[in-house]
Amino acid sequence: MKSNAVIAIHGGAGTILRASMSAQAEAQYRAALRDVLQAGQRILAEGGHALDAVTEAVRLLEDCPLFNAGRGSVFTADATHELDASIMDGRTLEAGAVCCVKRVRNPVLAARRVLECSEHVLFTGEGAEAFAAAQGLALVEPAYFHTDARYRQWQLAHDRQQTMLDHDGAARASLPSSESEAPEPTPQEPLDPNRKFGTVGAVALDAHGHLAAAASTGGITYKQPGRVGDTPLIGAGCYANDATCAVAATGAGEMFMRMVAAYDVSAQMAYRGATLEAATNDVVMNRLLRIEGRGGLIAVDREGNVALPFNTEGMYRGYARVGETCVTGIYR
Amino acid sequence: MKSNAVIAIHGGAGTILRASMSAQAEAQYRAALRDVLQAGQRILAEGGHALDAVTEAVRLLEDCPLFNAGRGSVFTADATHELDASIMDGRTLEAGAVCCVKRVRNPVLAARRVLECSEHVLFTGEGAEAFAAAQGLALVEPAYFHTDARYRQWQLAHDRQQTMLDHDGAARASLPSSESEAPEPTPQEPLDPNRKFGTVGAVALDAHGHLAAAASTGGITYKQPGRVGDTPLIGAGCYANDATCAVAATGAGEMFMRMVAAYDVSAQMAYRGATLEAATNDVVMNRLLRIEGRGGLIAVDREGNVALPFNTEGMYRGYARVGETCVTGIYR
């Protein structure tokens, strides 16, 4: 059976420079992306639903400590974790999301339950945790989310007493910063290659012609407690509609919220007949940059076209068509 | 000086039937709407900014116990209050919002401070309260939000053990319900005229050609703690862009979130050249109803056109042009 079924994923965008990445680290990231893609690909190859493929892909990305979502999430200023996730079904336009959860092992599974088992779309904080617990989802001690690498980032940020984007560095020096209140690192200070916009996401088209999108994040290192970015917000960080496309975004969340970035891709396709490529390029390369919004997004349309644009140095990304070899990328 | 400056406000949509409203109650609502409109009108007449006019209008609506925002907010299932608000400046596309706050006297003022004093757009829960406190905003004891009328609604809902929309009644019986999980009132039971979608909002165009929108709500009576609706979400319940329009929505929040309703009005204007009237009608009368999304919205465009469509029996609403008499409305 010939199918356009395809899944695309990302593991965050930012300053990811070839020069500062060891061959070993690169191989590790590529292998992780490939594993996740193959899991999604298997679901789609068996005639599974796009909604299931993106749920599973994001669950795996949450469980992988390399990426800033679930285990491996960055720390807030209070050295805690606050996680956000969302999911949308392009077939029904149903959606579910949670934000600011501290003990839900897999926020994307909580978002999925909100979509399926609640009349609501978004739960925050303890109410979201109570909902997840009532749904029988795994809650964990906050220590579960701790990784030494992220804790070192927190310590660094704590020493600097500033908001630090979790892997970003050079971009901050070379582009006008959206966090202009935060003091810039002194020019003498070596730029931190570990700073990027950490989010994970997945979009998929299944063999039945349905689209879905999911996203999850630990936010930004040393963020103020309670800050919510674009990831759990339908239309900002995540959107899916069988009539147009599925989109998951990663980047300076506030700019994606102000631009209603994920939905804007769909609106450009629906209302002015833009192609997926044209619409995603306009959002990432024009509209977001106009307000200094750095990041990228992954998108797939109902014909199986895939677009993975980003305006940063790199974005962990990949896609896999049913019956074909996975494609992964990191740098430009 | 001839100016198109105008402000429009709403105090919620739902089943507001002429037959079930006393002359005294109607006069009270109309007077409250007029007072708020005149306050906004004064700001605009003096050359003030749209952002200030909508902030002040929503602040007054929050302080008025007749409306479900600030004082007079509905109670959650736990008999607490959880308030949401947002604001957006069409000139800069800057935005601010808070959700799930329990002690901030005027959530719209917290949203305004997020817009002005934070690099972020949305804060939730205790983090939002800590931000508001750090900004010197008034925090109150939860008892401040208590009104006897809302508490009686909570008791009624508690007895029914069901989610109840805060003023809605007949619409629920006559239209397909979006809350199909909740048991319907038995036909013998008198329909509750006090049930509506309670939100407040304001949109304005100032003499300088700038647009702004703001929204605030106490949510829905007997809602599950942690539920967040469209009101604090940029693009869903609130949106402003000098290039197109300013929009504030009220209704079944989840449907507005799934439709990215407020931003959709702007997108239709920007991408397919729709007029404000055509775009708002399409969103309220077509797109929202397709997923059983009941409610309405208020909108103003950069030429000063005003649209106040709703698909429910009524919507507390009004608008005021500089130098003209206020216009208020309740029923169809």
Side-chain angles (χ1 to χ4, degrees), chain B residues 42-324:
Chain B
R42 268 195 300 277
I43 292 170
L44 297 175
E46 290 163 3
H49 292 109
L51 196 64
D52 291 327
V54 298
T55 304
E56 178 63 5
V58 170
R59 187 188 72 80
L60 291 169
L61 288 161
E62 286 176 343
D63 284 352
C64 175
L66 293 175
F67 303 106
N68 174 20
R71 195 161 127 73
S73 284
V74 299
F75 289 80
T76 69
D78 289 355
T80 59
H81 292 94
E82 294 179 352
L83 314 180
D84 306 327
S86 64
I87 188 165
M88 186 162 188
D89 184 350
R91 187 173 62 84
T92 58
L93 302 183
E94 288 174 332
V98 294
C99 66
C100 210
V101 296
K102 299 179 180 184
R103 301 192 304 130
V104 177
R105 178 185 162 133
N106 287 106
V108 73
L109 298 184
R112 175 76 186 260
R113 291 297 176 95
V114 174
L115 183 156
E116 288 181 332
C117 308
S118 167
E119 61 186 319
H120 300 307
V121 169
L122 174 60
F123 284 99
T124 182
E126 288 172 15
E129 288 176 1
F131 173 83
Q135 291 287 324
L137 293 180
L139 296 194
V140 291
E141 290 306 307
Y144 167 79
F145 298 109
H146 178 102
T147 55
D148 289 343
R150 298 300 187 193
Y151 191 67
R152 282 194 299 273
Q153 291 178 342
W154 178 85
Q155 283 179 309
L156 190 63
H158 190 61
D159 293 346
R160 286 187 190 160
Q161 289 284 336
Q162 67 167 62
T163 299
M164 183 180 86
L165 300 169
D166 101 273
H167 274 271
D168 194 26
R172 217 179 153 83
S174 63
L175 274 179
S177 170
S178 58
E179 280 76 30
S180 48
E181 294 100 305
E184 291 293 320
T186 59
Q188 293 75 22
E189 194 176 22
L191 290 164
D192 180 356
N194 284 324
R195 296 167 81 188
K196 73 157 172 40
F197 300 107
T199 323
V200 306
V203 293
L205 169 71
D206 65 28
H208 316 285
H210 299 310
L211 291 162
S216 183
T217 189
I220 46 180
T221 296
Y222 217 75
K223 72 177 176 188
Q224 283 176 262
R227 176 265 186 184
V228 177
D230 63 317
T231 304
L233 305 184
I234 300 306
C238 176
Y239 185 75
N241 187 335
D242 275 4
T244 51
C245 60
V247 180
T250 179
E254 281 70 15
M255 313 306 153
F256 285 73
M257 294 160 81
R258 291 165 56 195
M259 282 296 167
V260 201
Y263 182 64
D264 194 59
V265 173
S266 173
Q268 291 200 29
M269 294 177 71
Y271 297 142
R272 69 172 175 204
T275 62
L276 184 79
E277 192 188 355
T280 54
N281 266 326
D282 182 56
V283 168
V284 173
M285 301 305 181
N286 298 333
R287 295 173 63 82
L288 281 165
L289 282 182
R290 222 175 286 155
I291 56 168
E292 295 163 16
R294 287 172 296 131
L297 55 79
I298 57 172
V300 55
D301 69 14
R302 57 184 182 165
E303 276 141 32
N305 296 303
V306 170
L308 312 166
F310 54 97
N311 61 35
T312 48
E313 276 84 356
M315 180 167 81
Y316 298 111
R317 65 197 184 276
Y319 66 94
R321 297 188 182 281
V322 167
E324 296 182 17

Side-chain angles (χ1 to χ4, degrees), chain A residues 197-244:
Chain A
F197 301 108
T199 324
V200 306
V203 293
L205 170 71
D206 65 29
H208 316 285
H210 299 309
L211 291 163
S216 182
T217 189
I220 47 180
T221 295
Y222 217 73
K223 72 178 175 186
Q224 284 176 262
R227 176 262 185 186
V228 177
D230 63 317
T231 304
L233 306 185
I234 300 305
C238 177
Y239 185 75
N241 186 336
D242 276 5
T244 51

